[in-house]
Amino acid sequence: MDARRSFYLLLPFLVLLARGASAATLKFTNKCTYTVWPGTLTGGGGGQLSSTGFELAQGASFTIDNVPDTWSGRVWGRTGCATDASSKFTCTTADCGSGQVTCNGAGAIPPASLAEFTFVPAGTGQDFYDISLVDGFNLPISATPEGIGSGGSTTSCPANINSVCPPELAVKGSDGSVVACKSACLAFNEPQYCCTGEYGTPDKCPPTNYSKIFKDQCPQAYSYAYDDKSSTFTSAGGSDFLITFCP
Ligand SMILES: *[C@@H]1O[C@H](CO)[C@@H](O)[C@H](O)[C@H]1NC(C)=O
């Protein structure tokens, strides 16, 4: 058999191998004492993942396979979800407003703790990831790169910021308990909190008494738009990720 012939015989397997290597996975685990409904949103006009929302019982895990190795987007966890008498699905926190368990291209309505990702293919650079509380907090969350040689470390917001949320930022559930905590930007929409207008550059937008509450609780997470760069983490391109609720 000549070399060219054996190449064409092998081609389908080579394509399969390449495809297998070019996708990442996002694995979700729920360590909270309550059910969480994760949501996913692709950024920058790219296609949505194979799942944009699902139910994750206490202690359960679920993996989204075939995440493109050039994917960028965010994931979050919805709480207090239920289907009402008219079959509409809604959540007390981080709802995406779709009326369904799947979000289908809709993002979390803040406040929502976010895990954000920007992927590059293996061997071409680094994956970037962070936990963001810029739009507020609803539940503890962490992101951990996995896979051979990922070389990155976990970034986490393990604290329950709801328990220290000042009243002017608090979102309360029907039973009066604090279910989420707005960022000061979200609550007051003022330039010094949102880093807009005359506060629109990193050197002109220092931390505030409100952003410091979030930073004290979760030092690894972004607490406001121009938080220091230490909140961005990197791992080898092509890493898989584990997202844990209530790590
Ligand atoms: C933060 O500072 C503002 C403006 O000085 C003040 O009105 C507010 O009470 C302070 N809040 C907290 C939680 O310290």
Side-chain angles (χ1 to χ4, degrees), residues 166 168 193 209-210 213:
E168 61 271 37
Y193 298 125
N209 57 351
Y210 288 110
I213 295 171

Coordinates of all heavy atoms in Angstrom, one line a residue, residues 166 168 193 209-210 213, ligand 1:
P166 N -25.2 45.4 52.6 CA -25.9 46.5 53.2 C -27.4 46.7 52.7 O -27.6 46.3 51.5 CB -25.1 47.7 52.8 CG -24.0 47.2 51.8 CD -24.1 45.8 51.7
E168 N -29.2 49.0 51.5 CA -29.4 49.7 50.3 C -29.0 49.0 49.0 O -29.4 49.4 47.9 CB -28.8 51.1 50.3 CG -27.2 51.1 50.5 CD -26.8 51.1 51.9 OE1 -27.4 50.4 52.8 OE2 -25.7 51.7 52.2
Y193 N -19.4 54.9 40.9 CA -19.5 53.5 41.1 C -19.5 52.7 39.8 O -19.1 51.5 39.8 CB -20.9 53.2 41.8 CG -21.0 53.8 43.2 CD1 -22.1 54.7 43.5 CD2 -20.0 53.6 44.2 CE1 -22.2 55.2 44.7 CE2 -20.1 54.2 45.4 CZ -21.2 55.0 45.7 OH -21.3 55.6 46.9
N209 N -16.4 52.5 49.1 CA -16.7 51.7 50.3 C -17.6 50.5 50.0 O -17.6 49.5 50.6 CB -17.4 52.7 51.3 CG -18.6 53.4 50.8 OD1 -18.9 53.3 49.6 ND2 -19.4 54.1 51.6
Y210 N -18.4 50.7 48.9 CA -19.3 49.5 48.5 C -18.5 48.4 47.8 O -18.6 47.2 48.2 CB -20.4 50.0 47.6 CG -21.5 50.8 48.4 CD1 -21.6 52.2 48.1 CD2 -22.3 50.2 49.3 CE1 -22.6 52.9 48.8 CE2 -23.2 50.9 50.0 CZ -23.4 52.3 49.8 OH -24.3 53.0 50.5
I213 N -16.7 46.1 50.1 CA -17.4 45.1 50.8 C -17.3 43.8 50.1 O -17.0 42.7 50.6 CB -18.9 45.5 51.0 CG1 -19.0 46.7 51.9 CG2 -19.7 44.3 51.5 CD1 -20.4 47.3 51.9
Ligands
LIG1 C1 -20.6 54.7 51.5 O1 -20.3 56.1 51.2 C2 -21.5 56.8 50.9 C3 -21.0 58.2 50.4 O2 -20.1 58.8 51.3 C4 -22.4 56.9 52.1 O3 -23.6 57.6 51.8 C5 -22.8 55.4 52.5 O4 -23.5 55.4 53.7 C6 -21.5 54.6 52.7 N1 -22.0 53.2 52.8 C7 -21.4 52.3 53.5 C8 -22.0 50.9 53.5 O5 -20.3 52.5 54.1

